[in-house]
Amino acid sequence: MFSSIAGRCAVVTGASRGIGRGIAKVFADAGANVLIVSRTEESAAVASANLGENLSGFAADVTDQESCAAFAAAAEERYGGIDVLCANAGIFPVTRLEDLSVGDIDTVLATNLKGTILSVKACLPALERSGHGRVILTSSITGPVTGYPGLSHYGASKAGQLGFMRSAALELAPKGITINAVLPGNVETEGLREMGEDYRRSMEASIPMGALGTSSDIGYACLFFATDEASYITGQALIIDGGQTLPESLPAMTDNA
Ligand code: NAP
């Protein structure tokens, strides 16, 4: 059960740290060959070297079409094809609406939404050739399910990923490729820590399971979507948040000791 990933090639974007790094480790531990993509050669190389032998790094920027074509070509050259793409690269700068510039909007949409679409497009021919192609997007609860002040542009990009996914799922089904999304709640990553200790603590207090998620919590869900056993699931969004989106009121949390 759940062993079909061994020997297959998984490309994980935004994997030099955080959730992407966790996904890469889970896939490598399950026997996959993993291409770690991030913008700098050093960070991708350091992450891949620290995680094991069946991983390697490649520097590419998902906002750029040629860069995406280059990482897809590198995966094919190194590992003989692409079986799984985890389109995970993303940024989450906090800016309130009144301060949001056109540049802020463009940067977030270019990385999180356009970057997702370009990554999928670049890997499509190889995914189709594999005969069991799998795409897993890292979306978020923020946007598709919840909101947070300062994250309106981010929320739009994360909800946009799901809109993209549903139509793509229809186009990809005849090619034998599935596409699904994971929607993490608050996960302990370098990026989340950069939002400050107050944010981290308030998030922790709002999670019924009592702790932030780990990058492997997200990695295991991605691994399931990548298996042969998940071949009949496509176009779906899975929330992984320790119950964070469940309480319907503050007392639902505070009176639940
Ligand atoms: P993180 O710790 O900041 O890591 C982000 C990764 O993305 C890094 O490896 C970064 O590497 C890479 N990256 C950024 N821009 C890139 C680009 N243009 N091209 C290629 N790689 C790029 O973030 P995280 O917390 O792990 O979040 C990862 C994903 O999960 C994002 O899509 C985020 O929206 C989503 N998410 C996170 C949380 C959370 O609580 N942490 C919750 C919900 C959803 P370089 O800087 O070296 O390029």
Side-chain angles (χ1 to χ4, degrees), residues 14-140:
S16 63
R17 64 181 209 174
I19 290 175
R21 189 174 190 275
I23 297 171
K25 179 168 176 7
V26 165
F27 275 76
D29 288 349
N33 297 311
V34 181
L35 189 77
I36 284 184
V37 176
S38 72
R39 282 168 299 185
T40 60
E41 198 89 57
E42 307 88 276
S43 61
V46 167
S48 62
N50 289 341
L51 291 179
E53 280 178 6
N54 46 336
L55 305 98
S56 61
F58 191 84
D61 184 336
V62 298
T63 65
D64 178 71
Q65 189 165 24
E66 281 179 17
S67 212
C68 291
F71 78 64
E76 286 210 85
E77 193 187 308
R78 292 181 198 178
Y79 301 122
I82 302 173
D83 304 285
V84 183
L85 166 68
C86 295
N88 166 82
I91 54 172
F92 33 95
V94 179
T95 313
R96 291 183 73 93
L97 204 42
E98 59 268 28
D99 301 320
L100 207 53
S101 69
V102 171
D104 295 331
I105 300 167
D106 284 346
T107 304
V108 164
L109 292 179
T111 307
N112 299 358
L113 184 54
K114 188 174 90 174
T116 294
I117 300 172
L118 291 180
S119 299
V120 173
K121 271 177 67 68
C123 294
L124 265 192
L127 287 167
E128 185 174 4
R129 276 195 295 278
S130 86
H132 46 241
R134 296 281 190 277
V135 179
I136 301 117
L137 312 179
T138 307
S139 175
S140 175

